[in-house]
Amino acid sequence: MWLNHIITFLSKRDINELSDRALVDKFGITQVDMIIILGNSIPYIAEVGAKAYKSNLAKDIMIVGGIGHSTKYLIENVLQDDKYKDIDVHDKSESDILKQILTLRENIEPDKIIIESKSTNCGSNACEALKILKEKRKIPKSIILFQDPTMQLRSHSSFLKRWNEEKTLIISYSPFLPKVKKSESGYEYINDKISGLWSKSRFIDLIMGEIPRLRDDKNGYGPKGKGFISHVDIPEEVLSSYQRLLSYYMIIPQKACNYFQT
């Protein structure tokens, strides 16, 4: 399925599982200095990061994210799920909301969590997080990043760009792989038990918008374009899948979901 080629590429995982064994096998360490959970719309992602922290995979934990394009969707997802009924979302940043999930649902002590609440996108996530940690004189030598799978690769590239001088080992772990399968309505998520997944139209917009951003050309976010991220090599299979989907999606967007079952 063409869409799954793109999804797998975007959902960057530098280790196969969240375990000390996986860290040792790939990087020769049993623990990173810090887990950084980036603001997004899916509460489950914060829970995955929290569980990794509680499993002693990191010494410290940080949440990064102000008010951005995902904030309204995060608020909707929290309000629609009864298990988050004790969480206050009024006038709160993404990091403030996700911190409550970590403290109230995952029982992590509030003073253990470092917060950054000004950033509004992937690039400022990296910049503002670094600024906070420099102020605290707490620059980690290694981190695990957790982000919305559709933005995991771009977030990783943003951190590589902005944290270049720090020489920090940046490890990405997409909290889940949002692959799809054929259904009567066109397609459905394989991970359909995860609460707060994107609407189909928003998912398509997110997926289809990433490849132009990642392309290292004058219109992309790479060094040859806007310079927001480090260079990204996009496999030919991914580019081919994108072009096949784009040609149909642009012509008949309302029927695109049916086409993605190819």
Side-chain angles (χ1 to χ4, degrees), residues 196-214:
L197 292 178
W198 322 265
S199 67
K200 288 185 177 181
S201 61
R202 182 163 185 257
F203 183 60
I204 297 304
D205 286 343
L206 289 170
I207 292 295
M208 299 301 286
E210 280 301 292
I211 300 303
R213 294 185 182 99
L214 293 172

Side-chain angles (χ1 to χ4, degrees), residues 34-35 37 49-50 53 60-63 102 108 112-114:
M34 185 175 292
I35 280 172
I37 301 169
Y53 173 71
D60 294 300
I61 188 165
M62 181 179 195
I63 307 175
L102 266 61
I108 295 176
K112 298 291 186 182
I113 305 170
I114 302 170

Side-chain angles (χ1 to χ4, degrees), residues 165-226:
E165 294 183 1
E166 311 308 322
K167 307 303 180 184
T168 299
L169 171 62
I170 299 170
I171 301 170
S172 265
Y173 188 83
S174 180
F176 62 98
L177 302 179
K179 291 186 176 182
V180 298
K181 60 184 178 182
K182 189 184 302 184
S183 71
E184 292 182 359
S185 62
Y187 77 88
E188 61 186 32
Y189 295 114
I190 293 175
N191 306 98
D192 59 355
K193 297 298 187 290
I194 295 176
S195 177
L197 292 178
W198 322 265
S199 67
K200 288 185 177 181
S201 61
R202 182 163 185 257
F203 183 60
I204 297 304
D205 286 343
L206 289 170
I207 292 295
M208 299 301 286
E210 280 301 292
I211 300 303
R213 294 185 182 99
L214 293 172
R215 274 179 167 159
D216 195 2
D217 58 26
K218 65 179 182 180
N219 298 313
Y221 285 8
K224 296 178 182 178
K226 297 179 180 177

Side-chain angles (χ1 to χ4, degrees), residues 37-40 46 62-67 71 74-75 78 86-104 110 113-119:
I37 301 169
L38 302 176
N40 64 86
M62 181 179 195
I63 307 175
V64 175
I67 296 176
T71 311
L74 174 60
I75 291 172
V78 168
D86 52 351
I87 290 177
D88 178 17
V89 299
H90 182 66
D91 288 335
K92 302 294 184 183
S93 67
E94 291 171 18
S95 58
D96 291 330
I97 295 170
L98 297 177
K99 181 179 179 179
Q100 292 178 73
I101 292 175
L102 266 61
T103 57
L104 299 176
I113 305 170
I114 302 170
I115 291 293
E116 184 290 312
S117 57
K118 293 182 179 179
S119 57

Side-chain angles (χ1 to χ4, degrees), residues 151-165:
M151 296 184 286
Q152 184 77 52
L153 178 56
R154 179 155 54 97
S155 294
H156 183 97
S157 299
S158 292
F159 271 75
L160 285 179
K161 172 75 175 181
R162 304 300 179 184
W163 288 46
N164 179 58
E165 294 183 1

Side-chain angles (χ1 to χ4, degrees), residues 16 36 43 56 79 105 120 143 196 241:
N16 294 326
I36 299 182
N56 206 34
L79 292 177
R105 309 305 306 171
T120 59
I143 62 175
S241 295

